[in-house]
Amino acid sequence: MLCQSSEELQALVEEAKKCTIYGKVADYIPALGKANRDDLSIAIHYPDGSCISAGNIEKKISLQSISKVISLALVLMDHGPDYVFERVGMEPTGDPFNSIAKLETMAVAKPLNPMINAGALVVTHMIKGDSIEERFGRLLTFVQQLTDDPDVSYCQEVASSELETADLNRALSFFIKQHGIINEDVEQLLDLYTKQCAIEMNCLDLARIGVVFAMDGKDPVTGKQLMPEEVARICKTFMVTCGMYNASGEFAIKIGIPAKSGVSGGIMGAVPERFGIGIFGPALDDKGNSIAGIKLLELLSKNYKLTLVLYK
Ligand SMILES: NC(=O)CC[C@H](N)C(=O)O
């Protein structure tokens, strides 16, 4: 779909771009280290199908942690909330996304929420299917429905690059396996998880996913209900409480938009009943969030009064 470029949005991008010099591209997944620190683009997708954009919105990025919201929606549909929340909690941690610390101090080694890596690994473990191919195929089909784009796929290079270097995620998986939270082969789980994180798309597709969450799980363009309202509500709530890692509290206070970020520099936002947002800005702050992406959302939220507490 063609996106109208907006001068107003472009001016906000130029303003937000000034802070990319204070950020750093993630390189613990070697393939992500190739990104250009100074990139910044945004698409906003409205329920009537129109959209506005600024920057190079055709550039594809891997979802990384943004995929955690989508896999959560899928397993909530696969198993229902009771089953899912017996295995992963609902509480923010205040710790970095890849931290192992709380797992050891909890009475049951159940990860605190599905947005940290330990919790996301449990969620990925719950994706139904008889093989890795079938489970990944189901997830990808769901993503293709959410974006209404059958060509969305994953980046083999990013997936392999993460699989080769994912020893911390291996450690988390072995820990939760030892404690009986998961019971599958760790290497297979990581194969599936790294492919999930490597699903790639452009900002416009990302904004389209955002508008589906914003409209309570219904694609406003096709009219299809892609997930039950209840599932969309749970996912959006996690985006508010845990979507920006251990910066979620400050983000909620200052910006107040349900959002999920990934270390590729992507942010997917869902402004309830109004629009979806897709951002790409690979320069990250010290918590792993897109530094210019956050600045851009702050400007948008202030200029257009998007913060949650203003909803009537
Ligand atoms: N914060 C992120 O985006 C993390 C996702 C990444 N694939 C990881 O597990 O480390």
Side-chain angles (χ1 to χ4, degrees), residues 3-51:
C3 224
Q4 292 265 306
S5 70
S6 147
E7 279 173 25
E8 214 172 311
L9 209 50
Q10 188 62 44
L12 298 183
V13 165
E14 293 308 324
E15 175 65 28
K17 246 189 184 185
K18 291 180 190 156
C19 59
T20 57
I21 53 165
Y22 303 110
K24 200 173 160 296
V25 169
D27 56 8
Y28 76 97
I29 299 173
L32 297 184
K34 294 182 184 167
N36 178 1
R37 189 184 68 169
D38 297 321
D39 276 347
L40 184 63
S41 46
I42 178 168
I44 292 184
H45 204 301
Y46 295 99
D48 67 0
S50 65
C51 87

Side-chain angles (χ1 to χ4, degrees), residues 112-188:
L112 274 168
N113 71 67
M115 301 293 122
I116 50 172
N117 283 10
L121 287 159
V122 177
V123 169
T124 302
H125 167 70
M126 287 189 271
I127 297 174
K128 274 189 182 165
D130 290 334
S131 61
I132 298 299
E133 291 67 38
E134 189 186 338
R135 288 156 77 195
F136 183 63
R138 291 188 60 242
L139 179 67
L140 193 58
T141 302
F142 183 45
V143 175
Q144 290 166 345
Q145 287 167 352
L146 290 170
T147 52
D148 196 25
D149 182 351
D151 294 329
V152 168
S153 187
Y154 77 106
C155 175
Q156 178 68 55
E157 185 198 349
V158 171
S160 311
S161 175
E162 181 170 9
L163 189 60
E164 281 162 21
T165 53
D167 290 331
L168 193 46
N169 284 331
R170 272 186 189 87
L172 290 168
S173 303
F174 278 117
F175 195 95
I176 50 184
K177 185 173 179 182
Q178 175 71 35
H179 288 271
I181 311 285
I182 62 169
N183 59 4
E184 74 175 298
D185 178 78
V186 165
E187 227 31 58
Q188 288 212 354

Side-chain angles (χ1 to χ4, degrees), residues 90-102 106 111-113 115-116 240-250 286-287:
M90 301 183 190
E91 299 304 330
T93 65
D95 296 329
F97 64 87
N98 52 8
S99 176
I100 200 162
K102 291 251 164 51
M106 304 280 291
L112 274 168
N113 71 67
M115 301 293 122
I116 50 172
V240 173
T241 57
C242 317
M244 306 300 282
Y245 319 125
N246 45 331
S248 299
E250 185 179 346
D286 56 354
K287 297 198 169 140

Side-chain angles (χ1 to χ4, degrees), residues 246-296:
N246 45 331
S248 299
E250 185 179 346
F251 186 87
I253 298 276
K254 287 191 177 163
I255 295 163
I257 297 174
K260 182 73 203 88
S261 66
V263 285
S264 50
I267 303 179
M268 184 265 287
V271 183
E273 287 168 28
R274 292 180 69 180
F275 50 79
I277 305 172
I279 290 181
F280 174 52
L284 306 181
D285 62 20
D286 56 354
K287 297 198 169 140
N289 290 311
S290 169
I291 193 163
I294 290 196
K295 182 72 195 166
L296 187 51

Side-chain angles (χ1 to χ4, degrees), residues 214-270:
M215 303 310 285
D216 300 323
K218 185 175 185 167
D219 182 333
V221 182
T222 62
K224 288 183 197 152
Q225 189 77 38
L226 297 175
M227 67 188 91
E229 257 185 64
E230 171 72 353
V231 168
R233 186 188 65 75
I234 294 172
C235 291
K236 261 183 295 189
T237 310
F238 274 121
M239 286 162 73
V240 173
T241 57
C242 317
M244 306 300 282
Y245 319 125
N246 45 331
S248 299
E250 185 179 346
F251 186 87
I253 298 276
K254 287 191 177 163
I255 295 163
I257 297 174
K260 182 73 203 88
S261 66
V263 285
S264 50
I267 303 179
M268 184 265 287

